Amino acid sequence: MKGMGNMMKQAQKLQAKMLKMQEEAALETVEASAGGGMVRVTANGKQQILSITIEKEVVDPEDTEMLQDLVLAAVNEALAKSQEMMAEKMSKLTGGMNIPGLM
């Protein structure tokens, strides 16, 4: 039974470390762009979009589809970078172990 108690303590420590990491990740950001930097998106480690910057030169009322595509591409890239950042942090936290249900 003693081994089970130690395992529970380790799990609780890991959970506390994960919560701290998630709080810290909310403060870290990644940036992605599309259209040669004409559309830039910033996201945090919680996969929240913090800002979208669109240069006025890319805004063409006659071609809104292009702008929509650029925004979509930049948002998707920012989210992918954010997920990658979190996966890397989680891997460091768990020592590379693949724990089901985490990230």
Side-chain angles (χ1 to χ4, degrees):
M1 266 323 222
K2 188 175 183 181
M4 186 65 133
N6 285 341
M7 198 161 82
M8 290 298 291
K9 284 182 183 178
Q10 288 178 338
Q12 288 172 340
K13 284 182 182 179
L14 179 61
Q15 184 178 19
K17 287 180 181 179
M18 285 175 40
L19 288 173
K20 185 174 191 238
M21 181 202 64
Q22 289 172 338
E23 290 171 5
E24 291 171 354
L27 303 175
E28 292 188 43
T29 61
V30 293
E31 186 175 295
S33 66
M38 298 303 274
V39 175
R40 294 183 310 281
V41 175
T42 303
N44 67 12
K46 293 177 84 173
Q47 282 82 56
Q48 296 170 324
I49 302 302
L50 302 177
S51 69
I52 298 175
T53 303
I54 301 171
E55 297 297 328
K56 63 182 175 183
E57 295 83 14
V58 78
V59 179
D60 179 358
E62 301 299 318
D63 191 4
T64 57
E65 278 187 34
M66 180 189 67
L67 181 56
Q68 291 167 354
D69 290 344
L70 291 174
V71 170
L72 187 61
V75 167
N76 284 332
E77 183 183 342
L79 291 176
K81 284 182 174 184
S82 176
Q83 290 168 352
E84 188 177 298
M85 177 181 70
M86 288 304 294
E88 185 179 310
K89 288 181 176 300
M90 188 63 68
S91 177
K92 287 179 183 176
L93 184 66
T94 62
M97 292 185 305
N98 187 12
I99 301 173
L102 296 181
M103 293 302 288

